[in-house]
């Protein structure tokens, strides 16, 4: 099912929209993945902004968020500086060209983030190199200058040192703000030894030129917020198409044809400021044919350019960006959640990264992972054969592995006569091929189901085979092993009575090693159709006091009725008379 939220694209609006989707998923009882093809550069890029914390507070089992990593690797939006104590370095930032418009104001903002343990002095200079003003710790200043209105602060923000520089066109001056502004960064105290990071965070201009750093530019660290959050899956872009047919069915190609299958030149990359790898995955995002809006503003996309980008039929057009890549990953996550509704963000990331294709990013030389949906959805193990063999000791479950893409642990789960399922294998089964496990507690006259499960290192379980076995003989009452045993808390007790001619009655009690009654857990009757029950013991006695640690016996006593309408003595032949007792031992821990 699809839920689309129309948002005002404020951080609050986006968080509110995500919450709405997860609340709708709760109402209809489904898992959900939210795609966020959006972001900004506000904040320290360490997953610590209120926006990121609000989103991360909503993710968990069956609640996944995928976000675009950003398209800023080539735009010089990030700068890093690491001055020595007592040394001054100069940060240079370009205010773009613009045409003054009395209907609008034009501005450019940068933010700087650093350890609050460190102390700096920021001296702002205009494009001629003249000092506009000085900002020191705790200051918030505004300077009116003939080249622009300059606002700045140096404050503490959520435990970080934060520097803001906003340059705005001064409408009362004949001069424009265009040019390279400088900030002298003087390191007064470098107690933390950590660098300073600066980002271009906001702007408004009416030309194609964008603000950028002309010194200390660093494409690493260009991943946008909220993709920098630890529990949000960030997606970068690879190129998957270089040419396409336009609305007139004529072939068009990118001027600089991308390396198909390679990392898109614009795809932002990390690490985050706290040195986590981002993005985790890459997906098709350069040359993607996708839906074309019916209300595209012609002032943004001229008709001839729109015709070149659109494909025959005009319903779809060519686009690019990590905003195109993120939905590929969101779709893959949705398919995984259909099969594993309780996957955590960590399990999703582990599986998609594990099964992705490895490529090298030529910009960094680092290994990156490209989404491979087919492998991600395929079971990690393929069985060549599996069967149940009835042997004198019980049922022997056997299976042989044909291929194993990932090291897994095997588990076997059993259910009897449609009853509840429990784990037959106490520990993870590892070892060599073929595998085998003996069920020595088969129940006569009952149908047994065995499920062979592979568990990957992230804890995700997948069913590889379901096997059946009907055991001959007359069904008898069964009292299964207490779970858990030894026990620190409540103990689950499962028992059942097969179909009998006339039904019967039972009592369930806890007795000590000396035979003293500790607790009566229950009593009742069962019908000729039989019954399966589960009872819990909270380790309290009949007075509600916690029993001491030690050994206790759970005693199940039952008596079969010897008469009922329509039941003859021949029908009761072979069924025991009098009270029968089944006993299980349980060890309680302090």
């Amino acid at each position: 099912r699809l839920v689309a939220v129309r948002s005002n694209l404020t951080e609050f609006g986006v968080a509110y929209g995500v919450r709405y989707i997860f609340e709708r998923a709760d109402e209809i009882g489904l898992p959900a993945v939210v795609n966020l093809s959006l972001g900004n550069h506000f904040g320290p890029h360490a997953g610590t902004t209120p926006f990121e914390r609000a989103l991360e507070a909503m993710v968990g089992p069956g609640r996944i968020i995928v976000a675009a990593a950003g398209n800023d690797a080539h735009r010089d939006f990030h700068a890093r500086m690491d001055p020595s104590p007592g040394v001054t370095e100069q940060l240079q930032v370009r205010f773009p060209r613009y045409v003054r418009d009395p209907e609008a104001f034009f501005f450019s903002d940068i933010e700087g983030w650093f350890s609050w343990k460190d102390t700096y002095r920021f001296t702002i200079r205009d494009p001629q190199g003249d000092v506009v003003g000085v900002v020191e710790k705790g200051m918030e200043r505004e300077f009116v200058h003939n080249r622009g209105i300059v606002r700045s602060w140096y404050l503490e923000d959520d435990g970080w040192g934060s520097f803001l520089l906003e340059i705005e066109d001064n409408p009362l001056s004949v001069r424009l703000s265009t040019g390279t502004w400088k900030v002298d960064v003087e390191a007064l105290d470098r107690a933390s030894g950590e660098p300073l990071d600066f980002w271009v965070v906001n702007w408004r201009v009416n030309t194609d030129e964008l603000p950028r750093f002309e010194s200390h530019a660093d494409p690493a660290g260009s991943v946008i917020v909220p993709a920098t959050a630890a529990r949000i899956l960030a997606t970068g872009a690879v190129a998957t198409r270089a040419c396409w047919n336009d609305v007139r069915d004529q072939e068009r190609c990118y001027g600089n044809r991308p390396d198909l299958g390679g990392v898109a030149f614009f795809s932002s990359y990390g690490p985050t400021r706290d040195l986590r790898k981002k993005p985790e995955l890459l997906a098709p995002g350069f040359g993607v044919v996708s839906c074309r809006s019916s209300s595209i503003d012609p002032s943004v996309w001229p008709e001839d350019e729109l015709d070149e980008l659109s494909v025959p039929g005009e319903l779809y057009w060519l686009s690019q960006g990590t905003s195109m890549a993120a939905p590929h990953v969101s779709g893959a996550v949705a398919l995984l959640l259909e099969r594993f509704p309780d996957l955590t963000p960590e399990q999703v990331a582990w599986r998609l990264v594990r099964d992705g294709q490895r490529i090298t990013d030529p910009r960094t030389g680092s290994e990156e992972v490209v989404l491979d949906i087919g492998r991600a959805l395929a079971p990690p193990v393929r069985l060549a054969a599996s069967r149940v063999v009835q042997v004198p000791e019980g049922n022997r479950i056997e299976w042989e592995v044909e291929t194993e893409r990932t090291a897994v642990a095997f588990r076997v789960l059993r259910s009897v006569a449609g009853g509840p399922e429990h784990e037959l294998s106490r520990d993870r089964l590892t070892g060599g091929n073929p595998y085998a496990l003996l069920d020595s507690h088969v129940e006569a006259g009952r149908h047994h189901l065995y499920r062979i499960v592979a568990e990957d290192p992230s804890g995700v379980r997948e069913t590889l085979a379901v096997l059946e076995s009907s055991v001959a003989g007359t069904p008898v009452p069964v009292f299964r092993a207490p779970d858990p045993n030894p026990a620190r808390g409540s103990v689950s007790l499962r028992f059942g009575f097969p179909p009998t001619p006339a039904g019967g009655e039972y009592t369930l009690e806890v007795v000590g090693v000396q035979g003293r009654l500790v607790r009566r857990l229950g009593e009742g009757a069962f019908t000729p159709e039989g019954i399966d029950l589960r009872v819990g013991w909270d380790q309290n006695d009949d007075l509600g006091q916690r029993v001491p640690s030690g050994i206790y016996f759970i005693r199940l006593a039952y008596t079969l009725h010897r008469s009922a309408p329509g039941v003859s003595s021949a029908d009761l032949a072979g069924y025991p008379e009098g009270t029968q007792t089944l006993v299980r031992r349980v060890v309680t821990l302090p």
Side-chain angles (χ1 to χ4, degrees), residues 82-98:
D82 195 6
S84 301
V87 173
T88 299
E89 292 192 24
Q90 189 175 82
L91 179 70
Q92 299 180 6
V93 58
R94 174 76 177 176
F95 193 109
R97 299 184 305 272
Y98 61 96

Side-chain angles (χ1 to χ4, degrees), residues 272-353:
T272 59
R273 180 173 166 84
D274 55 335
L275 302 180
R276 288 176 288 108
K277 179 176 173 56
K278 288 281 183 173
E280 292 90 347
L281 277 173
L282 308 177
F286 191 4
V288 175
V289 175
S290 187
C291 300
R292 170 183 150 178
S293 172
S294 61
S295 57
I296 293 177
D297 187 343
S299 66
V300 177
W301 292 101
E303 185 176 354
D304 57 344
E305 188 174 349
L306 191 58
D307 287 346
E308 290 182 3
L309 291 173
S310 300
V311 300
E314 301 185 13
L315 293 177
Y316 304 92
W317 70 335
L318 194 82
S319 191
Q320 56 275 328
T322 57
S323 286
M324 299 292 104
H328 287 80
V329 175
S330 296
V333 174
L335 293 173
L336 284 173
L337 290 177
E338 282 187 340
R339 291 169 55 189
F340 311 108
D342 296 322
L343 286 180
T344 66
E346 292 76 16
Q347 289 173 324
V348 167
W350 185 89
R351 185 172 186 125
L352 294 180
V353 171

Side-chain angles (χ1 to χ4, degrees), residues 31-335:
V33 53
V34 177
N35 182 83
L36 296 180
S37 288
L38 51 84
N40 60 56
H41 281 298
F42 290 102
H45 293 62
T48 58
T49 65
F51 182 35
E52 292 165 302
R53 287 173 173 165
L55 294 176
E56 283 198 304
M58 292 185 273
V59 303
R63 300 287 179 264
I64 312 297
I65 296 176
V66 176
N71 309 320
D72 299 333
H74 64 302
R75 286 178 171 157
D76 296 332
F77 279 180
H78 172 239
R80 170 162 284 200
M81 183 182 291
D82 195 6
S84 301
V87 173
T88 299
E89 292 192 24
Q90 189 175 82
L91 179 70
Q92 299 180 6
V93 58
R94 174 76 177 176
F95 193 109
R97 299 184 305 272
Y98 61 96
V99 179
R100 183 168 281 163
D101 181 349
E103 300 279 326
F105 68 97
F106 301 98
F107 64 92
S108 178
D109 294 350
I110 70 167
E111 282 185 350
W113 295 88
F114 45 90
S115 171
W116 188 245
K117 297 177 182 178
D118 301 336
T119 306
Y120 298 94
R121 179 182 295 120
F122 299 96
T123 302
I124 302 166
R125 297 179 182 272
D126 67 14
Q128 279 67 48
D130 297 331
V131 173
V132 175
V134 177
V135 180
E136 298 194 31
K137 193 170 188 177
M139 288 185 175
E140 186 171 357
R141 305 288 298 276
E142 178 176 286
F143 310 100
V144 179
H145 188 270
N146 65 355
R147 292 297 296 270
I149 300 172
V150 178
R151 300 180 184 87
S152 188
W153 71 52
Y154 174 2
L155 302 173
E156 180 178 7
D157 189 336
D158 198 26
W160 296 85
S162 176
F163 170 73
L164 171 76
L165 174 63
E166 180 176 82
I167 304 167
E168 181 184 316
D169 174 63
N170 184 351
L172 300 180
S173 173
V174 296
R175 309 193 71 179
L176 300 180
S177 299
T178 298
T180 300
W181 294 70
K182 294 96 174 174
V183 180
D184 295 338
V185 182
E186 183 181 356
L188 304 178
D189 184 2
R190 292 292 309 281
S192 76
E194 298 176 4
L196 299 88
D197 285 289
F198 300 89
W199 285 274
V200 175
V201 296
N202 204 7
W203 65 88
R204 179 173 180 175
V205 291
N206 54 10
T207 61
D208 291 337
E209 184 184 2
L210 299 179
R212 68 184 187 278
F213 292 107
E214 291 190 332
S215 72
H216 301 84
D218 182 4
S222 55
V223 174
I224 57 178
V225 175
T228 49
R231 304 194 78 197
I232 292 177
L233 191 57
T235 306
V238 293
T240 51
R241 187 190 305 270
C243 299
W244 64 98
N245 287 359
D246 66 12
V247 291
R248 299 176 182 85
D249 209 20
Q250 295 179 352
E251 186 179 64
R252 300 283 183 177
C253 298
Y254 287 115
N256 294 319
R257 298 193 184 189
D259 177 21
L260 298 185
V263 182
F265 72 92
F266 54 76
S267 186
S268 294
Y269 59 93
T272 59
R273 180 173 166 84
D274 55 335
L275 302 180
R276 288 176 288 108
K277 179 176 173 56
K278 288 281 183 173
E280 292 90 347
L281 277 173
L282 308 177
F286 191 4
V288 175
V289 175
S290 187
C291 300
R292 170 183 150 178
S293 172
S294 61
S295 57
I296 293 177
D297 187 343
S299 66
V300 177
W301 292 101
E303 185 176 354
D304 57 344
E305 188 174 349
L306 191 58
D307 287 346
E308 290 182 3
L309 291 173
S310 300
V311 300
E314 301 185 13
L315 293 177
Y316 304 92
W317 70 335
L318 194 82
S319 191
Q320 56 275 328
T322 57
S323 286
M324 299 292 104
H328 287 80
V329 175
S330 296
V333 174
L335 293 173

